[in-house]
Amino acid sequence: MARFEPNIVAFVCNWCSYGGADSAGGLKLSYPANVRLVRVMCSGRVDPEHVVKAFREGADGVMVMGCHPGDCHYRNGNHKALRRFRLFERMITQFGIDKRRFELEWVAAGEGKRFQDVTTSMTERVRELGPLEITGNVVEETTHA
Amino acid sequence: MPKVKAAIYWCSSCGGCDESIVDLGERILAIRELVDFVFWPCAMDPKTSDVEALADGELAVSLINGAIRTSEQEEMAKLLRRKSQLVVAFGSCACSGGIPALANLKSRKAIFDRAYLDSPTNVNPEGTVPVPHSLTADGYPMELPVFYDTVYELGDVIEVDYLLPGCPPNGDMVATALTAILEGNLPPKGSILLPDIALCQSCARNETKPDQLTIQEFKRLIHVQADPVQCFLNQGILCMGPATRDGCGTPCIQGNMPCTGCLGPVGSQDQGARMVSALGGIGEAVREEDVATLLDGIPDPAGTFYRYSMSSSFLGSHRKDVKP
């Protein structure tokens, strides 16, 4: 059987993480083609609604990447993202969605290697988890915290 | 002018929506001048056959409250749809699942096990659970409605013309909506008969909200004495105002209770995601461990943020583009 190729949507901030992807390109470091980038101005701009919509429209995993804490171009957008998505992770767990399908990562503009590493490990992890199915109800009670 | 015919029906609901129509008080007399309620199980003793006897489209309007959990509710909704010119999803359960749809966080099996087998007050040594087809003790076949896996909103099973959310919609909201319907003074089909602005906008406590709202910890109402004037969020009490539609006149806030979100999402489809977004913006913690401590103050995020809108949320409902 052909290997499962997950769809992964990655929201990347304009100032750091998109630069990180760019620098991965400059260094000729390839990253999985499963990862589709959506460039936004700041990780603080990413509404959890964008993430649920991505899941709903067929993403098997979603990443949000921003500047390292303290480095935000807008001072505290990534702090907002941190609080939002830690709460979001707790919430999707209640819907029976494995929280390993979501990843919040900090990638600086110069960290091409790190960009490659986090996208590769996310792709492998979601590949192992298999396709996401949104059933609308919790088919089996999940206990993973 | 001849009276128009109307129906009021309940599906998976508590009866509060019917109550809110009764709560119109004397105003219902004016409505009775214009409307003949031919089917209202909560207040009268009509039979399904009375509805079946009507011509298609003979009812000017049906107000249907409650979510859809069983096959019987779906059948009745479809019957009333056929007989009605207008169908209004009345109340939060019909609009977006409401309280019954919180059951979507559990499987049907877990619910049956708890309700019929495990509950400490049950005596059920034979492990009897409801099944759609069975025989009575004297051998006659008995049919029960099928209990679906998922709680649906009304719009998932029939076409809904207008929505009036609220748990329940209060008297003023009902009177305004009914007047608009009777006068034919209606917005485009599919509209929610309420303004599309956030509750905070008309909340009297908005003025007490500082420019930079920050929350150190979330407090539960049972642990604190809420200040009657200050913004609830500024007191660290979870209030759904930022993610909830306006139009109720803020009776809960005036009763010194925070908004729980019954009018559903504003400016978006997903109330929970919107609320996560709002809260993330106003917390104060910036380190991982502080964020974890802060969030421990919200023990049940899905149940809190989607208390009334699970069936219309992106994650807590079936994919509507894929028929089960």
Side-chain angles (χ1 to χ4, degrees):
Chain A
M1 206 181 95
R3 182 167 86 134
F4 166 60
E5 293 296 346
N7 289 319
I8 294 174
V9 175
F11 295 94
V12 288
C13 87
N14 180 53
W15 304 99
C16 293
S17 308
Y18 190 83
D22 216 18
S23 107
L27 295 166
K28 300 220 184 318
L29 299 171
S30 63
Y31 67 92
N34 307 64
V35 179
R36 271 79 154 176
L37 300 188
V38 180
R39 177 158 64 157
V40 292
M41 290 311 282
C42 179
S43 55
R45 171 66 187 94
V46 185
D47 195 301
E49 198 171 347
H50 301 149
V51 180
V52 284
K53 204 157 181 192
F55 278 130
R56 185 91 182 191
E57 309 262 315
D60 304 298
V62 178
M63 304 180 81
V64 173
M65 289 186 256
C67 309
H68 285 273
D71 285 352
C72 178
H73 189 77
Y74 306 102
R75 278 184 51 226
N76 58 5
N78 51 4
H79 289 148
K80 290 179 181 168
L82 175 69
R83 292 187 294 262
R84 271 183 197 134
F85 290 109
R86 291 295 174 250
L87 178 55
F88 180 73
E89 285 170 344
R90 293 179 183 215
M91 194 175 80
I92 58 173
T93 306
Q94 292 182 281
F95 285 104
I97 294 176
D98 195 312
K99 74 173 185 182
R100 288 172 296 172
R101 291 185 184 276
F102 175 80
E103 188 73 87
L104 179 67
E105 285 285 355
W106 314 128
V107 178
E111 293 182 321
K113 180 74 176 81
R114 182 171 160 75
F115 182 84
Q116 182 189 40
D117 290 346
V118 297
T119 48
T120 308
S121 66
M122 177 72 175
T123 307
E124 289 316 312
R125 193 193 317 153
V126 177
R127 194 193 305 284
E128 215 154 279
L129 290 170
L132 171 66
E133 272 181 51
I134 294 173
T135 55
N137 60 339
V138 180
V139 175
E140 282 169 48
E141 259 37 82
T142 42
T143 48
H144 50 82
Chain B
M1 198 174 97
K3 283 188 181 183
V4 296
K5 290 180 180 168
I8 300 173
Y9 190 67
W10 49 7
C11 294
S12 188
S13 71
C14 65
C17 286
D18 297 89
E19 185 67 37
S20 78
I21 296 170
V22 176
D23 275 349
L24 285 173
E26 288 173 0
R27 283 179 288 185
I28 205 167
L29 297 175
I31 291 166
R32 283 283 285 120
E33 294 295 311
L34 303 167
V35 182
D36 196 6
F37 289 109
V38 295
F39 186 68
W40 185 2
C42 180
M44 304 151 45
D45 184 26
K47 303 290 175 236
T48 305
S49 54
D50 298 340
V51 183
E52 284 164 346
L54 296 170
D56 287 359
E58 192 174 338
L59 292 168
V61 57
S62 283
L63 309 176
I64 304 181
N65 65 65
I68 306 292
R69 181 87 212 220
T70 68
S71 54
E72 183 209 17
Q73 291 158 356
E74 183 177 354
E75 272 170 37
M76 284 305 295
K78 286 184 168 158
L79 176 65
L80 285 166
R81 171 73 270 187
R82 209 168 59 238
K83 303 293 179 188
S84 314
Q85 291 158 33
L86 283 183
V87 169
V88 178
F90 190 95
S92 300
C93 302
C95 290
S96 56
I99 299 286
L102 286 174
N104 284 359
L105 289 173
K106 295 279 172 193
S107 63
R108 181 173 79 155
K109 181 176 182 306
I111 292 166
F112 270 38
D113 285 353
R114 175 69 189 174
Y116 297 105
L117 305 174
D118 304 335
S119 172
T121 53
N122 275 352
V123 181
N124 186 5
E126 287 163 20
T128 308
V129 295
V131 290
H133 310 285
S134 58
L135 292 177
T136 58
D138 43 1
Y140 288 98
M142 185 170 75
E143 303 279 327
L144 283 179
V146 177
F147 190 90
Y148 294 154
D149 282 336
T150 305
V151 180
Y152 297 98
E153 61 194 40
L154 187 61
D156 289 339
V157 298
I158 59 167
E159 195 187 329
V160 169
D161 298 306
Y162 294 101
L163 299 102
L164 184 65
C167 190
N170 64 40
D172 290 340
M173 286 156 63
V174 175
T176 312
L178 285 183
T179 311
I181 290 166
L182 292 172
E183 289 174 353
N185 181 17
L186 284 162
K189 277 200 177 189
S191 298
I192 298 173
L193 299 173
L194 290 171
D196 195 17
I197 52 172
L199 184 79
C200 293
Q201 221 157 319
S202 69
C203 177
R205 299 188 185 207
N206 206 351
E207 290 180 8
T208 69
K209 186 169 70 74
D211 289 343
Q212 189 65 47
L213 186 59
T214 52
I215 292 181
Q216 279 91 33
E217 68 169 321
F218 289 106
K219 296 172 191 142
R220 297 186 64 190
L221 264 183
I222 50 168
H223 296 146
V224 290
Q225 178 85 45
D227 183 285
V229 182
Q230 232 194 102
C231 168
F232 282 108
L233 286 169
N234 199 32
Q235 304 178 54
I237 298 166
L238 200 73
C239 176
M240 288 291 288
T244 302
R245 188 177 285 268
D246 190 20
C248 58
T250 68
C252 303
I253 311 274
Q254 287 167 32
N256 207 15
M257 288 292 284
C259 173
T260 56
C262 77
L263 290 196
V266 61
S268 99
Q269 194 186 333
D270 205 276
Q271 197 172 11
R274 197 35 75 91
M275 196 59 199
V276 171
S277 183
L279 289 180
I282 57 178
E284 208 176 50
V286 295
R287 295 185 314 161
E288 283 281 1
E289 51 279 23
D290 297 341
V291 171
T293 314
L294 173 76
L295 299 182
D296 285 344
I298 309 174
D300 176 16
T304 310
F305 303 153
Y306 295 100
R307 187 174 296 180
Y308 304 94
S309 64
M310 193 65 83
S311 291
S312 71
S313 68
F314 285 122
L315 299 177
S317 59
H318 266 289
R319 286 194 57 170
K320 284 166 190 168
D321 45 343
V322 181
K323 283 286 157 205

